[in-house]
């Protein structure tokens, strides 16, 4: 009788462990399903985020062609500029023509202080990246040699990163 009780206890213990193991195995998908799920997730991530890699140009600057209101304009990415900065002539190309009385903002540049006009850009596109309602400043052409793509655009991205002579912009 004692042997039967020991045998019954052993069978119950083995049965309990087997049931727990089978429950855990049933909850985990097979390895190939986990790989497929990871691949699908990565594909969705790549499709939903847009990124652009820029190569460093002269003097370590990152030149980029930007579309504003559908017009192509050359810029330099400038993480030190608080806003997008447009030269008057390029601002006029996209339909922004501030009057002299609109130049109320004071901007400190390498050449000293200068007056600038505030503007809002409806749509700024860089590669496949689009940001709407971007704050900008318009400066006289003689105050600026190139348009600056500043933080009012960059801060609205998922990330921007500089490494090894490349800048990555990701939305």
């Amino acid at each position: 009788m004692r042997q039967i009780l020991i045998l019954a206890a052993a069978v119950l213990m083995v049965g309990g462990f087997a049931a727990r193991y089978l429950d855990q195995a049933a909850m985990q998908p097979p390895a190939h399903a986990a790989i497929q799920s990871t691949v699908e997730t990565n594909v969705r991530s790549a499709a939903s985020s847009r990124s652009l890699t820029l190569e460093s140009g002269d003097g370590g600057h990152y030149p980029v062609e930007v579309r504003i209101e559908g017009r192509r304009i050359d810029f330099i990415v400038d993480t030190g500029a608080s806003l997008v900065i447009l030269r008057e002539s390029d601002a006029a190309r996209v339909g922004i023509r501030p009057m002299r009385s609109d130049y109320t903002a004071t901007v400190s540049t390498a050449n000293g202080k200068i007056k600038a006009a505030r503007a809002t850009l409806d749509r700024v596109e860089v590669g496949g990246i689009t940001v709407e309602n971007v704050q900008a400043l318009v400066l006289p052409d003689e105050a600026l040699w190139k348009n600056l793509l500043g933080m009012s655009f960059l801060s609205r991205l998922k990330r921007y990163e500089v490494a090894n002579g490349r800048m990555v912009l990701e939305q």
Side-chain angles (χ1 to χ4, degrees):
M1 176 80 153
R2 185 173 176 200
Q3 290 176 342
I4 293 176
L5 287 175
I6 291 174
L7 182 60
V11 169
L12 285 174
M13 287 178 58
V14 169
F17 284 119
R20 184 179 302 162
Y21 173 77
L22 290 173
D23 282 344
Q24 287 177 350
M27 289 171 45
Q28 295 178 352
H32 70 280
I35 292 170
Q36 180 64 32
S37 174
T38 301
V39 168
E40 288 172 1
T41 300
N42 289 342
V43 169
R44 276 194 305 271
S45 294
S48 66
S49 73
R50 292 170 292 274
S51 68
L52 176 67
T53 301
L54 305 172
E55 298 291 329
S56 147
D58 294 336
H61 297 289
Y62 292 91
V64 63
E65 185 178 271
V66 176
R67 289 179 66 97
I68 298 176
E69 317 306 345
R71 305 262 181 173
R72 290 188 175 113
I73 300 176
D74 291 329
F75 276 78
I76 290 178
V77 178
D78 187 349
T79 59
S82 300
L83 301 172
V84 170
I85 310 292
L86 282 164
R87 302 174 77 232
E88 272 180 326
S89 57
D90 289 318
R93 287 180 50 211
V94 298
I96 299 171
R97 293 177 183 83
M99 297 183 351
R100 286 293 147 212
S101 60
D102 294 329
Y103 285 78
T104 57
T106 303
V107 178
S108 294
T109 70
N111 297 327
K113 293 186 179 195
I114 191 158
K115 291 291 188 178
R118 296 186 189 284
T120 300
L121 307 173
D122 292 335
R123 184 179 183 98
V124 177
E125 300 172 76
V126 179
I129 298 170
T130 302
V131 177
E132 296 179 345
N133 299 316
V134 177
Q135 297 301 304
L137 289 175
V138 177
L139 270 65
D141 285 355
E142 59 273 6
L144 199 61
W145 66 280
K146 209 54 139 166
N147 299 300
L148 304 177
L149 189 63
M151 293 305 294
S152 60
F153 175 84
L154 296 172
S155 67
R156 309 251 314 266
L157 301 179
K158 179 177 180 182
R159 76 179 178 104
Y160 62 93
E161 179 179 297
V162 178
N164 301 321
R166 291 191 172 104
M167 176 178 273
V168 177
L169 308 177
E170 184 179 344
Q171 185 176 40

